[in-house]
Amino acid sequence: MSDKVVAELHQPTPAVGDGGPDMIQLLTPEGQRVSHPDYDKYVADLTPEDLRSFYRDLVLIRRLDAEGYALQRQGELGLWPSLLGQEAAQVGSGRALKPHDFVFPTYREHGVGFVRGMDPQSSLQLFRGVSQGGWDPKENNFHLYTIVIGAQALHATGYAMGVRMDGNVGTGDPERDTAVICYFGDGASSQGDVNEAFVYAASFDAPVVFFCQNNQWAISEPVEKQTRIPLFQRAAGFGFPGVRVDGNDILATYAVTQHCLDEARNGNGPLLVEAYTYRMGAHTTADDPTKYRVSAEVEEWKFRDPILRLKTYLAHEGMADDAFFTAVDEEADRFAAELREGCVTMATMPGETMWDHIYAEDHPVMEAERAAYLAYKASFEEAN
């Protein structure tokens, strides 16, 4: 290895800064609409009512997250992974999906699940420990949360390969052509599972959109310790396109995701979206971010708040007034009260139900394990 190469490898990693010139943005942090020649068409048909519904989703999702955090701190949940600051990335991308598309989340996509029609109580069930998953993935084409970092990328790629093998890609029929979207964070992008998924997806032209929410900090390490280049550029090494979008801009996130999903449905997948955003809170409630990042950085990102910028835009353009914003806040209060009541009154599912949904049909190994569990459970009753 030459001295020049060695010197280059030991150069300090460049700071990512504010997203750089390649980042797609349609709505500035100040709430001003900016034009983009490639993506304006994806938001051209959005009505004021659509934009107001975007705002409502953002507010309700933030309230869901706040209640989840509070419930954990009060001992009602075992854990809560916050999405604070990432609402636009989730709502924008989730609203770009079609009903027959399929979602593979990590463990903090509460916003995506909400816009897919999931019962908000479902994620609370999981983190309260009263169910073995919380929902049927087929009901809203929304897979169960994946706790193992990055494993869902392989699940998504395998499902997308199946979509292609079934002939549901590139037919020209919008009711048939299907895309798969896989969510993960910047930390997961360093996992072997994610990189293996990239290899398989590229090799088999899988109709999958890899959606990376780059919230800058993984669990406790800055993203610049994981990569010398912006994350979206990694896709080129696997042979497919990547794009960076302002993850705090709901319009840009919606437009870019819609474009990428269309490409996947038309047989031009896979693709990688890097949503450049920021985790305002802790990685989970088991984490203390003050141990590894400075408060000044958090304060800077408050000025890029996704809800405030959309609110400013709606008000400035005359699309919403104080009465609307007040009504949304009041709805959020009712929503929070219902969440809390539903959480603290949840019934615990019997332990034996953990075997109910592993296989489509009865399986002798599962039946044997269930029987052993029931016998073990009964032994405590006999002892009493």
Side-chain angles (χ1 to χ4, degrees):
M1 187 178 293
S2 70
D3 292 341
K4 179 181 178 182
V5 173
V6 172
E8 289 176 351
L9 289 175
H10 286 83
Q11 288 296 313
T13 304
V16 177
D18 63 357
D22 294 321
M23 186 174 74
I24 308 301
Q25 187 178 81
L26 297 179
L27 198 61
T28 70
E30 295 76 26
Q32 295 179 337
R33 178 74 166 86
V34 291
S35 181
H36 194 286
D38 297 326
Y39 293 100
D40 281 345
K41 61 184 178 182
Y42 293 100
V43 297
D45 293 333
L46 291 176
T47 65
E49 183 179 358
D50 292 329
L51 296 176
R52 288 191 294 270
S53 70
F54 278 6
Y55 178 82
R56 172 184 175 273
D57 285 348
L58 293 175
V59 172
L60 293 184
I61 291 307
R62 179 164 291 183
R63 194 57 180 271
L64 166 64
D65 185 65
E67 287 303 309
Y69 185 91
L71 286 164
Q72 193 282 330
R73 285 295 189 249
Q74 294 162 8
E76 300 294 346
L77 300 179
L79 186 75
W80 183 255
S82 176
L83 59 74
L84 182 62
Q86 300 176 218
E87 298 90 352
Q90 295 196 16
V91 174
S93 61
R95 291 287 292 263
L97 291 158
K98 292 184 177 180
H100 57 279
D101 294 332
F102 210 100
V103 179
F104 286 82
T106 176
Y107 45 75
R108 73 174 79 247
E109 273 67 56
H110 323 309
V112 182
F114 179 82
V115 300
R116 293 293 282 174
M118 291 275 297
D119 182 351
Q121 295 287 348
S122 298
S123 57
L124 298 181
Q125 289 178 12
L126 177 63
F127 294 109
R128 190 170 171 84
V130 301
S131 80
Q132 304 302 322
W135 59 86
D136 180 353
K138 292 183 179 179
E139 287 185 359
N140 298 287
N141 281 9
F142 188 84
H143 198 267
L144 297 176
Y145 280 173
T146 303
I147 306 300
V148 178
I149 305 297
Q152 71 277 11
L154 290 172
H155 307 159
T157 298
Y159 188 95
M161 289 167 61
V163 169
R164 175 169 283 283
M165 292 174 184
D166 287 341
N168 293 327
V169 178
T171 69
D173 182 355
E175 300 302 319
R176 178 178 176 183
D177 291 339
T178 302
V180 177
I181 190 166
C182 173
Y183 291 89
F184 56 90
D186 48 297
S189 70
S190 296
Q191 291 285 347
D193 283 1
V194 172
N195 288 270
E196 290 167 8
F198 286 178
V199 171
Y200 267 84
S203 298
F204 291 90
D205 297 324
V208 57
V209 175
F210 296 106
F211 193 95
C212 176
Q213 293 176 83
N214 176 6
N215 64 24
Q216 311 298 319
W217 277 100
I219 293 179
S220 59
E221 293 290 347
V223 69
E224 57 264 25
K225 283 196 174 183
Q226 300 184 64
T227 178
R228 287 178 173 270
I229 62 173
L231 290 176
F232 78 96
Q233 293 182 5
R234 283 184 171 181
F238 295 90
F240 55 88
V243 60
R244 170 178 279 184
V245 62
D246 184 344
N248 286 19
D249 174 356
I250 192 170
L251 296 186
T253 304
Y254 173 81
V256 168
T257 308
Q258 193 174 61
H259 164 76
C260 291
L261 290 168
D262 284 346
E263 287 291 294
R265 296 188 198 102
N266 292 332
N268 300 322
L271 305 97
L272 171 65
V273 176
E274 177 194 355
Y276 192 84
T277 181
Y278 194 82
R279 169 168 56 79
M280 296 299 292
H283 176 71
T284 71
T285 45
D287 169 45
D288 180 4
T290 65
K291 299 294 185 182
Y292 54 80
R293 68 184 188 189
V294 297
S295 59
E297 181 178 279
V298 180
E299 291 300 315
E300 179 183 350
W301 275 89
K302 285 183 179 179
F303 292 102
R304 306 177 191 181
D305 181 78
I307 298 181
L308 181 59
R309 78 170 68 181
L310 182 58
K311 181 177 183 179
T312 302
Y313 175 67
L314 290 173
H316 184 267
E317 297 297 319
M319 298 183 190
D321 54 18
D322 289 343
F324 167 76
F325 296 124
T326 299
V328 172
D329 289 340
E330 292 174 348
E331 181 183 3
D333 289 339
R334 296 190 298 271
F335 179 62
E338 292 170 2
L339 284 172
R340 174 170 292 277
E341 176 66 19
C343 178
V344 299
T345 59
M346 282 180 186
T348 300
M349 296 177 66
E352 56 268 26
T353 60
M354 72 176 75
W355 286 277
D356 287 350
H357 305 293
I358 299 175
Y359 288 95
E361 300 176 356
D362 291 340
H363 191 284
V365 174
M366 297 297 101
E367 291 304 315
E369 290 183 355
R370 188 202 305 267
Y373 169 80
L374 289 173
Y376 175 74
K377 184 179 179 181
S379 69
F380 291 94
E381 298 174 357
E382 295 169 0
N384 294 328

